[in-house]
Amino acid sequence: MTRRTRRLGVCVLATVALTASGAAAAQAATVITMSGSTSVAPLAALLAKQYVKTHKNVKFKLAQGGSDVGVADVAAGRVTIGNSSRDPKATDPGGIFFNKVAKDAICIVTNSKNTVGDLSQQTIQGIFSGKIASWSDVPGASASGPINLVVRTAASGTQDAFQKIFMGDAKVASSASQKASNGLVQQSVQSDPNAVGYVSLDFINGTHVASYKGVACNLRNAKSGEYGGVRNFWMVTRGRATGATSSFISWVQNSSAAQKIVGLHWVPLK
């Protein structure tokens, strides 16, 4: 499997429609619609593609937009599943249910020409709050000049998790360039020698990945629990899932086939 699914555009519809042949079968198929997290989207696409191989009467439609969009969409009944890479909030709409499906590492990334070594939480907070504004003030940085911050928008689950895990009470500088997807952060960091951002582990290709508190951000360390920047992936439903949606989520959570897919780039539940 490759990283091709990460390029799904924000709010661009992608359809997995491997159903039984014939017009009658297509009409009878159950359609599970999903929107939300750009971090969860690559995993959701892989899972859906595998699921339809053995469930010919189901097809999927997948859109993105950010975790908050997915939560709002499912609460309003616009989609069957809202994909979220952030934990439940007290401000979330009532009547929705968070189904945990995997875990994921958030990595701090710089341009490949700026091989920053280990970053402490204090240094990360200083950089992203704007208190540390020059790479000359960052130990181990090979770049010089101003630090260009690349972050996610407020609707992002990755932003929410980054704030909780890395920033605590410190606030991200208002001067930071906000991007609507992991892929856009990745591209910005790849093209700017002075940039720094944070992305889901599946989006580190072409960047330099800094270690955090002495631990490298990689799949092995995320699975072992050594890496501290790990968050949950959720599939959110309107109430507890029923019917075909319940069967799909149960398959994701419990089947060895699904958890094997999760284990490719993410942290399985089991």
Side-chain angles (χ1 to χ4, degrees):
M1 299 235 180
T2 65
R3 298 174 182 271
R4 70 296 100 224
T5 49
R6 79 177 59 156
R7 299 297 183 184
L8 298 172
V10 175
C11 294
V12 174
L13 191 65
T15 305
V16 179
L18 303 178
T19 58
S21 61
Q27 291 174 357
T30 298
V31 179
I32 296 176
T33 55
M34 292 187 276
S35 70
S37 170
T38 68
S39 298
V40 179
L43 174 58
L46 288 174
L47 291 168
K49 185 176 181 180
Q50 180 64 33
Y51 192 72
V52 298
K53 291 180 179 178
T54 53
H55 297 76
K56 303 297 185 179
N57 62 333
V58 177
K59 64 179 181 179
F60 294 83
K61 291 185 177 180
L62 172 63
Q64 299 185 46
S67 294
D68 284 357
V69 170
V71 170
D73 280 350
V74 75
R78 291 187 286 267
V79 295
T80 317
I81 295 173
N83 292 324
S84 177
S85 61
R86 56 110 170 137
D87 291 338
K89 295 180 180 180
T91 54
D92 284 336
I96 58 175
F97 189 81
F98 279 69
N99 305 273
K100 187 184 294 187
V101 295
K103 292 185 178 182
D104 174 56
I106 297 175
C107 300
I108 309 300
V109 293
T110 58
N111 187 271
S112 58
K113 295 180 180 179
N114 183 17
T115 53
V116 176
D118 184 58
L119 295 175
S120 67
Q121 185 172 24
Q122 183 178 12
T123 300
I124 290 172
Q125 290 173 346
I127 290 171
F128 282 91
S129 68
K131 292 181 179 179
I132 300 175
S134 173
W135 283 115
S136 299
D137 297 323
V138 178
S142 53
S144 60
I147 296 173
N148 297 331
L149 301 175
V150 186
V151 301
R152 295 293 306 281
T153 59
S156 162
T158 303
Q159 185 278 331
D160 184 79
F162 174 77
Q163 181 68 46
K164 289 180 178 178
I165 296 171
F166 296 93
M167 297 298 287
D169 294 331
K171 302 299 182 183
V172 173
S174 59
S175 59
S177 176
Q178 297 186 10
K179 304 298 180 181
S181 70
N182 279 277
L184 291 175
V185 173
Q186 178 188 32
Q187 291 169 23
S188 295
V189 172
Q190 286 174 333
S191 62
D192 182 356
N194 280 32
V196 60
Y198 49 87
V199 293
S200 170
L201 179 61
D202 195 43
F203 290 82
I204 63 173
N205 191 44
T207 69
H208 171 74
V209 183
S211 60
Y212 173 55
K213 293 184 178 180
V215 181
C217 183
N218 57 40
L219 187 58
R220 183 187 63 185
N221 291 337
K223 287 180 176 180
S224 70
E226 292 181 73
Y227 183 71
V230 174
R231 43 74 182 274
N232 298 312
F233 273 1
W234 307 87
M235 289 186 175
V236 186
T237 53
R238 195 176 186 184
R240 289 186 178 271
T242 60
T245 305
S246 176
S247 297
F248 171 64
I249 292 176
S250 179
W251 175 82
V252 171
Q253 294 174 323
N254 300 302
S255 76
S256 58
Q259 289 301 295
K260 184 177 180 180
I261 291 171
V262 173
L264 293 174
H265 303 294
W266 303 274
V267 181
L269 297 178
K270 300 178 180 180

